[in-house]
């Protein structure tokens, strides 16, 4: 197998305060894991998904009126039916992620990120997506750090979910709560924590900021 990089997904992440148990002093925290931050659109709040009906707070927060909300919900439903959008808020294609970011969420405190890893890890990152269709090559945009993630049923955990960063004495984090380390260092860390925390295969990823 080619050991080059592949881009495995795109996320519109809310920047937020870091969870207090991590001990990070930042209000710009983002994560691929929806355990740690919200990703948009949140499919459970899209029309037809929420069993309790459309959420008026969600509609009022992001959309000019109900019609715009219904339009967005229909568009995201079409992507989901094509396996181009997953339940954790990940887009398979850059063009779709950019469209939804610019159309609906650019005015809010969100950032659009791309997630890439080496091809040998890609089959371990697959949810509904067919990893053979992942975009070839390292993601475009500004490199802003690394993470260690593992797929579990309907979304990713981060190694931070179980405070596995405490297994390491000499690592650095940046304002986003991402590893301020090389991909090679993240690989070594992922290998060390296999079998710890959540029952997942831990894989190293690079995070690039598009917007």
């Amino acid at each position: 197998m080619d050991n080059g990089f592949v881009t495995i997904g795109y996320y519109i992440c809310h920047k937020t305060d870091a969870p207090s148990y991590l001990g990070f002093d930042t209000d710009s925290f983002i994560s691929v894991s929806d355990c740690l931050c919200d990703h948009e659109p949140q499919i459970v709040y899209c029309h037809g998904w929420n069993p309790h009906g459309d959420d008026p707070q969600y509609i009022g927060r992001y959309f000019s009126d109900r019609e715009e909300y219904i339009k967005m919900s229909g568009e995201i439903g079409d992507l989901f039916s094509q396996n181009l959008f997953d339940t954790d808020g990940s887009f398979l294609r850059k063009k779709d992620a950019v469209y939804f970011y610019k159309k609906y969420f650019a005015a809010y405190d969100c950032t659009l990120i791309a997630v890439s890893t080496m091809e040998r890890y890609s089959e371990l990152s697959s949810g509904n997506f067919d990893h053979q269709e992942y975009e070839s090559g390292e993601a475009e945009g500004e490199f802003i750090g690394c993470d260690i993630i593992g797929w579990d049923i309907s979304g990713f955990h981060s190694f931070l979910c179980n405070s596995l960063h405490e297994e390491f004495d000499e690592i650095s984090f940046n304002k986003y709560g991402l590893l301020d380390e090389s991909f090679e260092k993240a690989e070594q860390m992922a290998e060390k924590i296999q079998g710890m925390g959540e029952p997942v295969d831990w894989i190293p990823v690079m995070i690039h900021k598009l917007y």
Side-chain angles (χ1 to χ4, degrees):
M1 179 182 287
D2 178 7
N3 283 333
F5 282 91
V6 291
T7 301
I8 62 174
Y10 299 87
Y11 290 82
I12 300 170
C13 298
H14 280 287
K15 288 184 287 187
T16 186
D17 293 331
S20 58
Y21 71 88
L22 294 178
F24 299 164
D25 184 18
T26 179
D27 60 1
S28 297
F29 183 85
I30 60 173
S31 178
V32 172
S33 173
D34 58 2
C35 302
L36 298 174
C37 82
D38 290 331
H39 307 136
E40 297 296 346
Q42 297 179 55
I43 200 164
V44 295
Y45 289 133
C46 291
H47 181 68
W49 284 85
N50 189 337
H52 303 295
D54 302 335
D55 189 301
Q57 290 187 329
Y58 187 72
I59 296 172
R61 182 176 182 183
Y62 295 114
F63 305 99
S64 59
D65 52 36
R66 180 175 171 79
E67 286 68 29
E68 184 182 41
Y69 158 75
I70 294 293
K71 179 177 184 292
M72 185 282 297
S73 296
E75 291 171 338
I76 209 66
D78 288 343
L79 289 184
F80 183 82
S81 67
Q82 300 173 65
N83 279 353
L84 296 173
F85 180 80
D86 212 343
T87 53
D88 68 327
S90 53
F91 294 87
L92 185 58
R93 300 186 302 195
K94 176 183 176 181
K95 67 177 183 179
D96 299 323
V98 170
Y99 168 78
F100 276 85
Y101 175 82
K102 290 185 173 181
K103 177 72 174 178
Y104 299 110
F105 301 106
Y108 303 94
D109 198 14
C110 297
T111 188
L112 175 58
I113 63 170
V115 184
S116 58
T117 190
M118 297 198 81
E119 189 172 353
R120 64 173 175 263
Y121 298 120
S122 63
E123 64 185 41
L124 303 177
S125 67
S126 183
N128 289 333
F129 296 164
D130 179 353
H131 72 275
Q132 294 180 350
E133 296 183 9
Y134 285 153
E135 295 180 358
S136 179
E138 182 181 327
E140 299 176 355
E142 174 193 359
F143 173 67
I144 58 171
C146 290
D147 200 354
I148 301 172
I149 61 176
W151 183 265
D152 184 15
I153 303 176
S154 61
F156 283 111
H157 293 293
S158 166
F159 79 129
L160 297 177
C161 292
N162 296 124
S163 297
L164 293 180
H165 61 296
E166 295 178 357
E167 296 293 323
F168 306 94
D169 295 327
E170 297 182 0
I171 55 173
S172 299
F173 291 90
N174 59 31
K175 67 178 182 178
Y176 299 108
L178 297 172
L179 282 167
D180 191 16
E181 305 286 354
S182 68
F183 182 79
E184 290 74 21
K185 179 67 175 288
E187 279 191 293
Q188 295 168 10
M189 295 172 63
E191 183 176 354
K192 178 178 178 179
I193 63 173
Q194 294 300 333
M196 299 182 185
E198 304 292 344
V200 298
D201 295 306
W202 293 115
I203 65 171
V205 294
M206 294 193 300
I207 308 297
H208 287 75
K209 179 180 177 182
L210 279 66
Y211 294 96

